[in-house]
Amino acid sequence: MDSQSSTDSSTLVSEARNDDRHGGPHKDHAVILLHGLCGSQLEMGSIPKQLKKAGCTVIPLTIDNYSAALTNPRVSPDWEAWCAVVESRVARLKEEFRTVSLCGLSMGATLALAVAARSKDLLSVVLLSPVLQYDGWSVPWYWKLLTVVYDMGFRNWSYKESEPYGIKNYEMRRRVAAALEKDGVAAVGAAAIPARHLRAALRMIAFVRKSLPLVRTDTLIIHSIDDETASPRNAEVILQHINAEVRKVIWLGDCYHIITVDNEREIVTNETVMFIKRSIEIHGNELSRKYLGHSSPLKDRRH
């Protein structure tokens, strides 16, 4: 449900208008930011700042039983409720803005895909280190057994984050480790993810894998070839199975999973902003997405 304890309260659109709306050619575009599972907006790095500089309105969304500050380890979350919060926000923003995009990191990217498969109201989606399978080189061999343990009824446990915390940069990793020890959350997310939240995320992944052909909105994927959490195969599967006419993938070679704060963070930020601006220029200034749904295919097909 679209609960009041999430930051999707009824006052947010007006707050965005007063505080975050910028002038310029992209002032009629809103971007919803989706951090990783049990994480926070710290994960998004400099992307919010640069999107605002580009004239977009930025909506840093937090969600009940998804975001770190709103997580209850004893509650069994529902991934469809996560989607419903995002979809509700998109619908409200569409009343205020001409176009809306989603930008998600890690499981936030998977959540963005789930919404894109269920909605025709999005201009574009940016998928940063999307996860369709936990198959990176640091994932422990016993990972798949955890779901078996959960389904057997043992549910009061958490999956603890460990080195390298999704970050290749040593100095950043050291600071993250200190923040996790002190506060339990850092730029890479939470120190531990409750079993119930992991199970809900896996159910969402199952839906997304089946629903990729329903994704038709402009799509940018940025993924590291050395991602320790989700291998490059995750990005390849998405690229192969979505039906977006405009699609693009960027491969990174000097970072791990949390690409927004690692060695190539500037590339990630710049490519994200440029892709969204280009989608606005192609679609947003002349036509609504409803009209585009009935128009001829775009000539600029990217692979």
Side-chain angles (χ1 to χ4, degrees):
M1 296 295 292
D2 194 3
S3 66
Q4 290 295 321
S5 55
S6 300
T7 57
D8 57 319
S9 65
S10 60
T11 61
L12 189 132
V13 171
S14 61
E15 290 172 355
R17 185 193 310 119
N18 294 333
D19 299 333
D20 293 326
R21 171 170 275 191
H22 290 246
H26 310 127
K27 62 184 175 63
D28 290 326
H29 186 72
V31 183
I32 297 175
L33 302 181
L34 301 172
H35 57 73
L37 181 63
C38 297
S40 75
Q41 289 296 329
L42 290 172
E43 300 172 18
M44 304 310 294
S46 62
I47 289 175
K49 180 179 179 180
Q50 295 305 317
L51 283 172
K52 290 179 183 179
K53 281 188 176 181
C56 298
T57 294
V58 177
I59 311 296
L61 193 64
T62 55
I63 303 171
D64 278 344
N65 289 308
Y66 176 86
S67 302
L70 302 173
T71 297
N72 184 340
R74 297 190 175 279
V75 171
S76 296
D78 180 358
W79 69 266
E80 291 189 273
W82 301 342
C83 285
V85 171
V86 182
E87 291 163 351
S88 175
R89 176 56 58 79
V90 170
R92 272 191 268 168
L93 288 172
K94 286 287 288 182
E95 297 175 359
E96 178 75 12
F97 299 91
R98 181 172 295 179
T99 50
V100 179
S101 292
L102 301 180
C103 175
L105 171 68
S106 188
M107 195 56 64
T110 312
L111 175 56
L113 274 173
V115 174
R118 292 157 47 120
S119 173
K120 297 180 180 179
D121 290 331
L122 298 171
L123 178 75
S124 60
V125 291
V126 177
L127 311 175
L128 309 175
S129 303
V131 180
L132 293 187
Q133 184 175 354
Y134 288 101
D135 60 351
W137 54 263
S138 77
V139 176
W141 63 268
Y142 55 81
W143 163 253
K144 291 184 178 180
L145 297 178
L146 297 180
T147 57
V148 176
V149 171
Y150 181 91
D151 291 339
M152 289 174 61
F154 301 96
R155 301 177 179 180
N156 293 322
W157 53 269
S158 296
Y159 181 80
K160 187 176 181 180
E161 294 290 344
S162 59
E163 292 275 359
Y165 302 113
I167 297 178
K168 189 173 185 179
N169 183 284
Y170 178 78
E171 178 57 28
M172 175 63 74
R173 193 191 310 168
R174 184 189 65 80
R175 283 184 280 170
V176 162
L180 287 174
E181 183 176 354
K182 178 183 177 182
D183 304 321
V185 67
V188 298
I193 301 176
R196 289 175 171 83
H197 294 73
L198 282 173
R199 196 71 183 94
L202 291 174
R203 290 188 176 112
M204 181 169 68
I205 285 174
F207 167 80
V208 169
R209 292 182 73 94
K210 293 186 297 184
S211 304
L212 287 175
L214 300 176
V215 177
R216 300 180 180 274
T217 189
D218 294 357
T219 302
L220 169 66
I221 308 169
I222 308 181
H223 207 97
S224 172
I225 61 173
D226 204 18
D227 191 317
E228 88 292 352
T229 298
S231 77
R233 179 62 180 160
N234 288 263
E236 292 169 353
V237 168
I238 294 168
L239 195 68
Q240 291 168 4
H241 291 92
I242 60 174
N243 277 314
E245 288 293 336
V246 177
R247 66 185 87 173
K248 182 178 181 180
V249 63
I250 295 173
W251 298 108
L252 305 175
D254 192 29
C255 53
Y256 292 159
H257 187 63
I258 311 299
I259 58 177
T260 47
V261 298
D262 210 345
N263 289 326
E264 295 173 284
R265 56 190 177 274
E266 291 184 2
I267 294 174
V268 174
T269 297
N270 292 339
E271 292 290 346
T272 295
V273 174
M274 285 192 294
F275 185 83
I276 290 175
K277 287 170 64 176
R278 189 166 184 274
S279 287
I280 295 170
E281 290 161 4
I282 292 174
H283 307 305
N285 292 337
E286 297 90 13
L287 303 170
S288 69
R289 291 301 286 177
K290 182 177 180 180
Y291 178 84
L292 281 172
H294 299 284
S295 64
S296 59
L298 296 173
K299 301 299 183 183
D300 183 15
R301 187 181 187 95
R302 294 191 170 193
H303 295 279

